[in-house]
Structure formats: structure tokens, C-alpha cells
Amino acid sequence: MIGKVKKEKSVIIEVNAAQMAKKGAEIFSQAAKKSVETRGRFSAAISGGSTPRDMHRMLGEEPFRSNITWDKTDIFWVDERCVPENDPASNYGAAKKDFLDRVPIPEAQVHPMPSEVSPEKGAFNYQQEILTFFNTGAGEFPVFDLIFLGVGTDGHTASLFPGQGSLDEKVRMVVPVKGGHPDLSRLTMSYPFINNGRQIVFMISGKEKAGVVKTLLEDKQRRFPAHYIEPLNGQLIFLLDRAAASLLSGENGYGGC
Ligand code: 6PG
């Protein structure tokens, strides 16, 4: 079910988490096809946490394993915990296990955030890696074809946590922060960079997220960090399962299930 809200957000509600994950993989595959046809390459930035893992596993299986042009795809991260790859908290480590080790993507096209140097150095190095990859001029934010985001029950997204200075970052594309569950040093992309994306997809599932979804989509007051994800020129999609959408009133033509 797809609805449109006033601010041109698309809301897609799938019957359960598995169908939501499948829809996410389809969005990934369609974005890859369109980007390669249009620009010859496809760049995606993915999130960590538990929500995207079913989708990641599907990307490593048929039909997605075969129908995505992995040789023209580059994968980046929206955020990362500053831990080694083999730490259970590592977003890169999880994605590697879930799909990157199972698809024919050249290693040089997988761009994990530098998680084992100082957070300040890691943030700077990743920003340099992104600028080199996109070959963008100084002061210009590169454009990712697709960005997947999750949302915490406190309304954080990426590792942009309530009340932190990172929410005010306007210049750097990647900044060091500390917080979250687990409470760790992390690297996160900043708002101006994320909001430059062509297509931004929030993937949110589960009853425990129903309150934050209702607030994000129906409250006029913008009190959560995730409220400030507003693509400058791109498309914003809320990809939900029924449980996460269960408190929506349906007044904007979506939800109410
Ligand atoms: C991270 C994630 C984070 C995540 C939300 C939701 O590295 O922690 O990027 O932003 O998307 O915390 O996490 P769940 O999907 O586990 O609910």
C-alpha cells in the first residue's frame, strides 16, 4: 500500500517484516538498474542495526544476487561503530556476513568506515575516501543514488542522536560521535550529506517503533533527529511493516491498518 503525505514523502506499508525486507531489496535492485542505465554506476549507503539484515540476506540470494550489477556497484555506510570488523557490533561485519561475502562485488567497491583508528581520524579519512570516489569539488556534497536508514525508538537515525552537536554539523560529511545502544564511539554521516541523496529510504519494522513512526509522519513538532532527514532534491520513502504503521491515523492517505 502506497500513500503520499503533504510533504511528498512516500509511505509503503508491507504486511510483515519479511515482505518489507523483500520490498527493500526490490528498491535496491531497481535503483541499481536505473543508476547504471543513467550514470553507468550505482552508489548506495547502508545502515546497521537489526532491521536491514533480512534485506541484506535477500541481496545475497537469488534473484537479487544475479540481477544486480555488482561489478558497477559501490557500497558505503551511513554510520559505523568504532570496533573491529569481527565484533558483533560492527555494521560492516554484519553486512559482510549477510551479503557482501556472497555477491560478486569487487572488494575495492566495498567501502567500510575506518573503525579501528581514532574516531576523528576515521571521520576525516572516510570523508576523503568519499570525495576521491565521487571526484567532487571542495564544498560540494556528493550524491548517493540510494541511502537506507533505520530509526531508533528515541528518534535517532544513522548515529545522529538526540541532543548531540553532530545534529548541527553543516560542513563535514562524516563526524565522530558517542552514544546509542551499545553506547560506543561511532562515525556517522551528517544531515547535509545524507539529505543530498537521490533516494532515501527509512526501513522501520515492529510494534516498538509504532510510536516513533506516528510522530515522524503525523506530528507537526519536529523533535526527533529523524525529522531532519529531508532530501534536498531526492525522494524520501518510509518503508514500514504493518506493526510499525499500526498507530498511524491514515489521515494522509496511508496507514490506519
Ligand atoms: C546503527 C544504525 C542505527 C539503526 C537504528 C535502528 O548503527 O545503530 O545505523 O541508526 O538504524 O538504531 O536499529 P534497529 O534496526 O536495530 O532497530
Side-chain angles (χ1 to χ4, degrees):
M1 178 181 167
I2 297 181
K4 283 244 183 252
V5 293
K6 286 187 222 44
K7 287 194 270 178
E8 283 313 298
K9 295 184 182 85
S10 299
V11 178
I12 301 172
I13 300 171
E14 297 292 342
V15 68
N16 56 38
Q19 287 302 315
M20 183 195 72
K22 183 167 180 284
K23 183 66 179 173
E26 288 166 357
I27 290 172
F28 186 103
S29 176
Q30 288 152 11
K33 185 171 183 301
K34 186 174 174 198
S35 305
V36 170
E37 282 170 359
T38 320
R39 288 175 292 279
R41 298 291 308 178
F42 171 53
S43 59
I46 61 177
S47 280
S50 56
T51 304
R53 295 200 68 174
D54 284 347
M55 173 184 74
H56 292 167
R57 291 184 190 107
M58 286 182 185
L59 293 174
E61 293 157 3
E62 298 305 337
F64 301 105
R65 186 184 185 286
S66 298
N67 71 18
I68 291 168
T69 48
W70 295 106
D71 62 328
K72 293 187 171 61
T73 295
D74 282 84
I75 300 285
F76 294 79
W77 273 260
V78 169
D79 66 343
E80 183 57 277
R81 297 82 178 271
C82 296
V83 296
E85 165 192 330
N86 59 2
D87 186 305
S90 168
N91 291 339
Y92 167 57
K96 201 168 178 302
K97 212 178 299 157
D98 293 344
F99 76 109
L100 293 169
D101 283 348
R102 301 161 58 200
V103 298
I105 186 168
E107 197 175 336
Q109 293 171 209
V110 178
H111 307 265
M113 287 184 156
S115 64
E116 297 191 71
V117 294
S118 77
E120 288 70 20
K121 189 168 167 49
F124 177 79
N125 291 356
Y126 205 58
Q127 172 159 313
Q128 293 310 108
E129 180 171 351
I130 292 169
L131 286 172
T132 305
F133 172 77
F134 283 98
N135 191 24
T136 36
E140 198 188 315
F141 284 124
V143 180
F144 275 105
D145 295 308
L146 179 63
I147 300 174
F148 272 105
L149 297 173
V151 175
T153 50
D154 62 353
H156 83 263
T157 188
S159 284
L160 296 164
F161 297 107
Q164 293 201 355
S166 56
L167 304 183
D168 301 319
E169 180 61 45
K170 298 280 183 283
V171 177
R172 290 176 295 170
M173 297 192 287
V174 185
V175 292
V177 298
K178 186 164 183 324
H181 296 291
D183 182 359
L184 293 167
S185 286
R186 296 159 176 250
L187 304 181
T188 185
M189 287 184 180
S190 60
Y191 282 129
F193 186 29
I194 295 173
N195 283 332
N196 223 32
R198 275 194 183 85
Q199 190 176 32
I200 302 174
V201 183
F202 276 120
M203 260 176 81
I204 315 173
S205 77
K207 205 149 191 65
E208 73 282 0
K209 300 282 178 77
V212 70
V213 167
K214 181 176 182 62
T215 304
L216 286 176
L217 285 171
E218 296 185 354
D219 273 13
K220 304 281 173 282
Q221 220 191 0
R222 294 162 16 115
R223 57 195 174 88
F224 287 151
H227 272 119
Y228 294 86
I229 296 297
E230 294 182 304
L232 295 176
N233 302 305
Q235 181 192 15
L236 180 60
I237 296 174
F238 280 76
L239 176 54
L240 314 170
D241 65 4
R242 274 193 184 159
S246 55
L247 294 180
L248 293 177
S249 63
E251 68 198 18
N252 292 299
Y254 56 83
C257 25

